[in-house]
C-alpha cells in the first residue's frame, strides 16, 4: 500500500503540474483527469475506498465532464491555442513560481518538522462513513444538499441566455 | 470484489507516515496556487483551483488515516459537494462573461479599477 | 422717579429724533432737543437742591418742603439721593442694578453737564442751521447727554461702564458726523480705537473687583476694598492702575492723548460739549468716584500726578505751535485735564472737580467762539490767515467773549474763575502727603505756557492787522449763537468765587459741599495749615504760590502781546533756524506720538493683516485634507480591478502569515 501511495502521489504531482501549464484546454483537462485518478488511488492506499470511488465518480466523472461541456460550448478554436501561448510569456512564470515555491517550502518545513506519526493500515469502509454522516454530521448533510440546490439554481439562472 | 480489496488492503501492514501525506497535499496545493497565479484564462484558473482542492482533500484523508475514524472522509465528501457547486456556478459565470466581454482573459476584465 | 427724570428726557428725545427726525422741521427738532436738555437741567436742579440745603444753612429752609426728593445719609454722614429702577444682572452673588445715586460730586457733574449742555444745544441750533442732517445731529447730541448722565449717576461700576461706552459711541458718531468725508471717519475710528485701549483696561479692573469683592456697587466697593486689602496691596494697586489707564484713555492723557486733536474734525458744538466740557472729564470723574481704591494705592496716586503734570506740560508746548484754530484748543484741553489729574494725584479731589467745573465753562466758551469765528470766515481754520477781527464791522462781541474765555484759561488774577481753580491746584500740589515741589514747578511752567498759547490764539484771531481771510466778507453770527456764549462767559467769570483761598477771603462754598464725600482723603480743599509749621507759614506760602501764578499769567500776556502782535517777525526768524524748525515740528506734531504709534503699532498690524489676508490657517487644514486625498490616490494604485492581482495579494498575505506563525 505504501508503494501504491508514493507512486500515485508522484503521478498526481506530475499530472497536476502538466495540467496547469498546458496551453490547450483539452490537454489540460485530460491531464487533470489523470491527476484526479492518481489522487483517488492515494485515497485508496490510505484506507478510504469509499472516497476513492467518490473521487472518481463525482470529481473526475461529473465535475471534469462539466468543464468539458462548457469548453465545447464556448467552441474556442485554434486561434485560442495561439492566444494561450501568447498569454504565457517567459516572464510571467517568475513571480508565481517564487510564491508557490515559498508556499511549498514553508508548509513542508511546518509539516516535516513535526514529530513523525504513522497512519493506520486499516481502511475505513463505506459503512463507517455512512454511519458518521447520518449521525454526527447530519446537519452537514442537510446543509450540503441546500448548497447543491443553491448551486443548481444559481448556475441555471446565471448561465441562461438573456 | 469489495471484500477482496478490503482484505488486500488489510494485509499490507506497512503504513505511510502522516507527514508524507501532508507533504504531498502541500505540494498539490502549491501547484494549484501556482496555476491560479500563472494563468490568465478563466477556465484554466478554475482547473487549477480544483487541483488545490484535491490537495486539501488529500490532507483530510491523511488525517482520517492517522486516527482511523470516518470524520476526515466525511469532510472530504463535503469538500467535493462544495467543489461541485462552485464549479457549476463558476462555469455559468464564465459563460456569461464570455457572452458579454467576448474574452476569457482575466486581465481584460478590470472595470472595477480605481 | 426722581433721578431718572434727568436721564429720561434726552433719551426719549434721542429716540424720537431717531425715529421721526426726518419728518420734523428744523424748528421742531431744535425745540425738541433743547427742551429735552432743559428738562434734564431742571430735574438736576430739583434733585440737587435738597443736597445743597443740607450743606448750606442759608438754604435749610427749603429742606422741610415736601416738594423735594428724599435725601438719605450714609453712615459717614454723606447725604445722597438714591433711586433703583430694576435689577439688571443677577449672577451668583453679583447683583447689578439699573440704579442712580446722587451725592455732592454727582450733583456738581450733572449740573455742569446739563447746564453747559443746554447752552451748547442752543448754540448748535444756530450753528448747524444750514446742515442737511440737522435731526441726526441733535439725536446724537441728546443721546450723548443721556449717556453722560447715566455715567455720572450710576450707583455701580457696570452701569458706569455702560455710560462710558455710550459716550464713546456718541463721540464716534459725532466726530464722524460729516461721514461723506473719509478723513472724518478715520478720525472717529481713531478716537474710538484709542479710547478702547483704556476701556479694555477699565473692564479688566472691573473684573478684578468683581472677582475679589463680589460686588460692583461703588459704595460696597469702597468699603469692601478697605476690608479686604491693605494699603499698597498688589491687587488693589493693579486695579487702581487699570482704572487709571481707562481714565487716561477717555480723558486723552499721555500716552493715549493722540485722538483728541484729530477729533476736532467734528462740528464745533461737538468739540465744545464732548471734547472739552464733559466726555473728556469722565476720566477725572471716574478717579474721583473710585477715590477709595486710589487712596489705597499710593504708587498709582503718584502715577496719576506724574501723568497729569507731564501731559499738561507736553500739551502746553504742543498748543503753542498749532495753526488750526481748534487744534490749539484741543491741546489746551489735554493740558488742562492734565492739571485736573495732577490735582487728583495729590489727593485734592474736590479741587480737581472745581477746576473741572471752571474749565467746562471757559473751554466751552472758547470752542463756541472759535466756531463763531470760523463760521464768520466761511469755514476758515488757519490762524495765520486771520487777524484784526476785533475791530469795526467784524466780530466785536465775539472778541469780548473770547477775551473772557482766554483770560480765564490763562488764569488772570482775581477776576477770572480760572485763577481760583488753578491756584487751588497749585497750592494743593505742595501739600502732604502726596504733594511734591516738582509737581508745583511743572504746573507753574505749564501755567506760563498756557497764558502764552492762549493769548497767542487770541491775538492771532482778533488783534493785529487782518489776514487774508479776515479781509473778505465777515458773516455776522446769529443771536442764537451769541447769547449762550454770554451765559458761559458769566460762568467763566463768576463761578470762581465759589471757592476762594484763605488769603482772599476763605469762602469755601464748594469745598463744604464736596468735601464730605472725600472724607477719607488725607486733605481737602482749604485744609488746616496745609502741612506747614504754622498758620502764618502756610499763609506766606500760599501767598507766594498765588503771587507766582499771577505773575506768570500777567507776564505771559505781555510776552504774548510782544511776540505775536508787536514783533511777529522776530519769532519768524527764530523759527527759521535749525533748532527752531526742529522744535516747531516736534511741538506741532504733538511730540511725535502719532508717528511713533504708526511705526510701532499700526504698521506691524497692517502687515500682519495683509499676511493673514489669504488665510494661511486655512492652508493648514487644507493640508490635512490634501494628505488624506493624496494617500487615497496612492492606495488606489492597489485597486487594479484584476483578478490575478488580488489572488497574488492573497497568496502573499498567506505567506506572510505562515512566516509569522512558523517563525522558530
Amino acid at each position: 500500500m505504501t508503494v501504491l501511495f508514493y507512486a500515485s502521489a508522484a503521478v498526481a504531482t506530475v499530472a497536476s503540474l502538466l495540467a496547469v501549464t498546458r496551453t490547450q484546454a483539452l490537454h489540460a483537462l485530460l491531464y487533470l483527469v489523470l491527476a484526479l485518478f492518481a489522487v483517488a488511488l492515494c485515497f485508496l492506499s490510505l484506507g478510504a475506498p469509499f472516497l476513492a470511488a467518490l473521487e472518481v465518480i463525482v470529481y473526475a466523472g461529473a465535475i471534469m465532464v462539466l468543464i468539458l461541456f462548457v469548453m465545447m460550448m464556448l467552441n474556442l478554436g485554434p486561434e485560442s491555442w495561439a492566444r494561450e501561448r501568447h498569454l504565457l510569456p517567459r516572464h510571467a512564470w517568475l513571480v508565481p513560481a517564487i510564491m508557490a515555491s515559498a508556499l511549498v517550502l514553508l508548509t513542508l518545513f511546518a509539516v516535516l518538522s513535526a514529530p513523525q506519526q504513522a497512519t493506520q493500515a486499516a481502511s475505513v469502509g463505506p459503512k463507517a462513513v455512512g454511519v458518521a454522516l447520518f449521525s454526527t454530521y447530519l446537519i452537514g448533510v442537510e446543509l450540503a444538499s441546500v448548497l447543491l440546490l443553491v448551486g443548481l439554481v444559481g448556475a441555471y439562472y446565471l448561465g441562461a441566455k438573456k | 470484489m469489495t471484500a477482496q480489496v478490503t482484505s488486500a488492503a488489510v494485509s499490507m501492514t506497512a503504513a505511510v507516515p502522516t507527514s508524507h501525506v501532508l507533504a504531498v497535499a502541500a505540494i498539490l496545493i502549491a501547484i494549484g496556487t501556482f496555476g491560479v497565479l500563472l494563468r490568465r484564462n478563466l477556465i484554466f484558473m478554475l482547473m487549477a483551483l480544483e487541483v488545490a482542492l484535491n490537495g486539501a482533500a488529500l490532507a483530510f484523508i491523511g488525517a482520517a488515516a492517522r486516527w482511523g475514524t470516518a470524520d476526515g472522509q466525511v469532510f472530504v465528501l463535503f469538500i467535493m459537494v462544495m467543489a461541485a457547486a462552485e464549479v457549476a456556478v463558476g462555469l455559468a459565470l464564465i459563460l456569461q462573461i464570455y457572452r458579454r466581454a467576448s474574452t476569457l482573459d482575466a486581465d481584460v476584465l478590470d472595470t472595477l479599477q480605481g | 422717579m426722581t433721578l431718572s427724570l434727568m436721564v429720561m428726557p434726552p433719551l426719549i428725545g434721542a429716540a424720537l429724533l431717531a425715529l421721526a427726525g426726518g419728518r420734523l422741521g428744523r424748528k421742531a427738532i431744535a425745540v425738541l432737543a433743547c427742551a429735552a436738555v432743559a428738562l434734564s437741567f431742571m430735574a438736576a436742579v430739583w434733585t440737587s437742591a435738597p443736597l445743597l440745603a443740607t450743606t448750606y444753612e442759608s438754604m435749610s429752609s427749603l429742606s422741610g418742603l415736601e416738594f423735594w426728593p428724599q435725601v438719605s445719609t450714609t453712615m459717614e454722614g454723606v447725604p445722597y439721593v438714591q433711586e433703583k429702577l430694576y435689577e439688571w444682572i443677577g449672577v451668583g452673588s453679583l447683583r447689578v442694578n439699573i440704579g442712580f445715586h446722587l451725592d455732592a460730586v454727582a450733583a456738581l457733574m450733572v449740573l455742569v453737564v446739563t447746564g453747559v449742555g443746554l447752552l451748547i444745544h442752543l448754540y448748535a441750533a444756530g450753528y448747524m442751521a444750514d446742515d442737511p442732517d440737522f435731526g441726526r445731529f441733535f439725536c446724537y447730541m441728546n443721546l450723548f447727554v443721556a449717556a453722560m448722565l447715566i455715567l455720572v449717576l450710576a450707583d455701580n461700576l457696570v452701569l458706569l461702564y455702560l455710560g462710558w461706552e455710550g459716550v464713546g459711541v456718541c463721540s464716534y458718531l459725532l466726530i464722524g458726523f460729516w461721514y461723506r468725508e473719509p478723513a472724518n471717519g478715520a478720525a472717529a475710528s481713531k478716537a474710538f480705537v484709542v479710547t478702547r485701549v483704556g476701556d479694555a483696561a477699565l473692564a479688566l479692573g472691573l473684573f478684578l473687583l468683581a472677582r475679589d469683592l463680589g460686588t460692583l456697587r461703588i459704595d460696597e466697593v469702597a468699603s469692601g476694598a478697605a476690608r479686604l486689602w491693605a494699603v499698597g496691596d498688589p491687587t488693589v494697586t493693579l486695579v487702581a492702575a487699570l482704572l487709571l489707564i481707562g481714565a487716561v484713555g477717555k480723558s486723552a492723557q499721555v500716552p493715549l492723548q493722540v485722538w483728541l486733536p484729530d477729533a476736532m474734525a467734528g462740528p464745533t458744538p461737538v468739540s465744545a460739549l464732548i471734547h472739552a466740557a464733559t466726555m473728556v472729564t469722565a476720566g477725572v470723574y471716574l478717579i474721583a468716584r473710585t477715590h477709595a481704591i486710589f487712596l489705597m494705592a499710593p504708587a498709582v496716586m503718584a502715577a496719576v500726578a506724574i501723568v497729569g503734570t507731564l501731559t499738561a506740560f507736553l500739551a502746553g508746548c504742543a498748543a503753542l505751535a498749532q495753526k488750526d484754530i481748534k487744534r490749539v484748543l484741543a491741546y489746551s484741553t489735554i493740558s488742562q485735564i492734565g492739571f485736573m489729574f495732577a490735582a487728583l494725584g495729590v489727593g485734592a479731589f474736590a479741587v480737581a472737580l472745581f477746576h473741572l467745573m471752571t474749565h467746562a465753562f471757559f473751554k466751552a466758551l472758547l470752542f463756541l467762539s472759535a466756531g463763531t469765528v470760523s463760521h464768520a470766515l466761511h469755514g476758515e481754520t488757519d490762524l495765520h490767515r486771520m487777524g484784526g477781527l476785533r475791530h469795526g464791522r467784524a466780530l466785536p462781541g465775539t472778541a469780548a467773549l473770547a477775551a473772557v474765555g482766554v483770560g480765564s484759561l490763562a488764569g488772570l488774577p482775581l477776576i477770572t474763575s480760572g485763577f481760583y481753580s488753578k491756584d487751588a491746584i497749585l497750592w494743593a500740589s505742595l501739600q502732604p502727603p502726596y504733594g511734591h515741589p516738582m509737581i508745583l514747578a511743572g504746573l507753574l511752567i505749564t501755567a506760563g505756557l498756557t497764558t502764552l498759547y492762549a493769548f497767542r490764539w487770541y491775538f492771532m484771531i482778533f488783534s493785529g492787522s487782518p489776514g487774508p481771510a479776515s479781509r473778505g466778507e465777515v458773516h455776522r453770527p446769529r443771536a442764537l449763537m451769541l447769547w449762550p456764549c454770554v451765559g458761559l462767559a458769566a460762568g467763566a467769570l463768576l463761578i470762581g468765587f465759589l471757592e476762594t483761598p484763605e488769603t482772599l477771603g476763605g469762602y469755601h462754598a464748594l469745598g463744604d459741599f464736596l468735601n464730605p464725600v472725600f472724607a477719607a482723603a488725607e486733605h481737602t480743599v482749604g485744609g488746616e495749615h496745609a502741612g506747614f509749621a504754622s498758620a502764618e507759614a502756610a499763609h506766606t506760602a500760599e501767598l507766594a504760590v498765588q503771587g507766582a501764578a499771577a505773575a506768570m499769567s500777567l507776564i505771559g500776556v505781555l510776552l504774548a502781546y510782544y511776540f505775536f502782535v508787536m514783533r511777529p517777525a522776530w519769532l519768524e526768524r527764530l523759527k527759521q533756524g535749525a533748532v527752531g524748525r526742529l522744535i516747531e515740528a516736534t511741538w506741532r506734531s504733538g511730540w511725535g506720538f502719532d508717528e511713533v504709534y504708526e511705526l510701532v503699532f499700526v504698521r506691524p498690524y497692517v502687515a500682519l493683516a495683509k499676511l493673514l489676508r489669504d488665510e494661511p490657517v486655512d492652508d493648514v487644514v487644507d493640508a490635512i485634507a490634501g494628505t488624506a486625498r493624496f494617500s487615497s490616490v496612492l492606495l488606489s494604485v492597489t485597486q487594479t480591478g484584476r483578478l490575478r492581482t488580488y489572488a497574488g495579494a492573497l497568496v502573499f498575505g498567506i505567506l506572510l502569515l505562515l512566516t509569522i506563525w512558523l517563525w522558530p
Side-chain angles (χ1 to χ4, degrees), chain C residues 175 180 203 321 409 422 468 587 589 592 654:
Chain C
I175 296 174
R180 292 182 183 88
L409 171 61
K422 197 177 297 186
W587 286 3
S589 68
I654 293 173

Side-chain angles (χ1 to χ4, degrees), chain B residues 33 37-40 42 45 107 109-110 112-114, chain C residues 636 639-649 651:
Chain B
T33 318
L37 294 174
L38 178 67
R39 307 305 300 248
R40 275 162 79 164
L42 287 172
M45 276 187 181
D107 283 352
L109 306 166
D110 60 356
L112 281 181
Q113 184 184 42
Chain C
S636 65
Q639 302 293 308
T640 57
R642 288 195 189 160
L643 188 61
R644 290 199 311 141
T645 322
Y646 299 154
V651 174

Side-chain angles (χ1 to χ4, degrees), chain C residues 26-27 30-31 34 118-129 134 138 368 372 477-486:
Chain C
R26 259 166 230 263
K27 207 159 192 182
V31 165
C34 296
L118 176 61
L119 292 172
I120 295 180
H121 270 73
L122 290 169
Y123 176 90
Y127 184 81
M128 301 288 289
F134 200 67
F138 277 101
L368 296 188
T372 310
R478 299 187 180 85
L480 206 51
M481 286 164 64
L482 266 185
W483 288 104
C485 295
V486 172

Side-chain angles (χ1 to χ4, degrees), chain C residues 146-521:
Chain C
M148 190 72 202
L149 287 172
I150 292 176
L151 192 159
V152 170
L153 289 171
D155 72 347
N156 61 75
L157 288 169
V158 183
L159 191 59
L160 189 148
Y161 194 73
L162 178 88
W164 191 271
E165 294 294 313
V167 296
V169 166
C170 292
S171 170
Y172 170 82
L173 290 170
L174 283 165
I175 296 174
F177 181 69
W178 291 313
Y179 58 87
R180 292 182 183 88
E181 190 66 38
N184 298 341
S189 299
K190 181 175 176 180
F192 197 75
V193 169
V194 173
T195 49
R196 208 84 196 98
V197 175
D199 297 347
L202 179 59
L204 286 176
L206 295 188
F207 293 157
L208 276 175
L209 282 174
R211 181 194 72 168
D212 285 338
L213 298 177
T215 175
L216 282 172
R217 286 191 54 138
I218 296 179
D219 42 6
E220 287 172 15
V221 163
S223 52
R227 265 203 312 272
L228 188 62
W229 293 310
V231 172
D233 188 287
T235 315
V236 74
T237 310
L238 180 63
V239 171
L242 288 169
L243 291 177
L244 173 63
I245 297 174
V248 159
K250 195 63 101 183
S251 293
Q253 300 293 288
V254 163
L256 295 173
Q257 88 285 13
V258 292
W259 63 272
L260 193 51
D262 288 339
M264 298 298 114
T268 305
V270 170
S271 306
L273 183 59
I274 300 185
H275 305 125
T278 45
M279 186 184 94
V280 290
T281 58
V284 177
Y285 177 71
L286 175 72
I287 298 183
R289 255 281 172 255
T290 55
H291 64 271
I293 295 181
F294 278 88
L295 285 173
M296 296 183 68
V300 181
M301 290 288 278
V304 173
I306 293 171
V307 163
T309 316
L310 188 66
T311 308
F313 176 70
L314 292 179
C317 295
L320 205 47
Q322 301 299 317
K323 59 178 188 169
D324 182 296
I325 189 173
K326 279 168 62 175
R327 273 180 96 96
V328 174
L329 298 177
Y331 278 107
S332 170
T333 306
I334 299 175
S335 179
Q336 292 300 303
I337 299 182
F339 269 87
M340 292 180 221
F341 266 63
L344 290 170
V346 298
F349 301 103
V351 173
L353 291 170
F354 182 32
H355 194 61
L356 189 154
M357 187 171 66
T358 60
H359 174 262
F361 279 96
F362 62 69
K363 196 45 72 64
L365 172 62
L366 284 172
F367 266 106
L368 296 188
S369 307
T372 310
V373 166
S374 197
H375 185 256
L377 298 180
H378 310 284
E380 178 64 57
T381 56
D382 189 340
L383 281 173
H384 293 294
R385 292 166 56 87
M386 301 178 190
L389 286 172
R390 188 159 56 95
H391 314 292
R393 297 177 301 111
L395 301 169
T398 311
L401 292 168
V404 170
V406 164
S408 202
L409 171 61
L412 290 182
L414 296 178
I415 49 169
T416 58
S417 60
F419 168 71
Y420 291 104
S421 59
K422 197 177 297 186
D423 178 70
I425 296 181
L426 291 173
W427 178 230
S429 68
L430 263 188
Q431 293 168 22
Y434 298 107
H436 197 278
M438 287 287 287
I439 299 178
L440 175 66
L443 291 179
L444 264 179
I445 297 173
T446 311
L449 281 173
T450 307
T451 318
L452 266 178
Y453 71 67
F455 277 95
R456 166 182 178 263
W457 184 84
Y458 180 81
F459 289 140
M460 284 179 86
I461 300 175
F462 292 106
S463 298
S465 47
S470 320
R471 291 194 207 111
E473 190 218 321
V474 173
H475 195 124
R476 300 303 301 275
R478 299 187 180 85
L480 206 51
M481 286 164 64
L482 266 185
W483 288 104
C485 295
V486 172
L488 290 172
L493 284 176
L494 300 174
I495 293 269
F497 295 114
L498 280 178
E499 180 64 36
T500 56
E502 290 295 331
T503 52
L504 294 170
Y507 184 61
H508 297 298
L510 194 65
D512 292 339
F513 185 52
L514 293 177
N515 282 329
V517 178
F518 300 115

Side-chain angles (χ1 to χ4, degrees), chain C residues 599-649:
Chain C
L599 262 178
V600 173
F601 293 114
V602 178
R603 290 235 189 108
Y605 186 79
V606 171
L608 187 66
K610 285 211 182 108
L611 198 69
L612 292 175
R613 186 176 52 188
D614 300 321
E615 302 201 30
V617 181
D618 266 3
D619 290 346
V620 173
V621 178
D622 285 346
I624 296 174
T627 313
R629 207 173 294 126
F630 178 66
S631 46
S632 158
V633 166
L634 269 183
L635 283 173
S636 65
V637 169
T638 58
Q639 302 293 308
T640 57
R642 288 195 189 160
L643 188 61
R644 290 199 311 141
T645 322
Y646 299 154

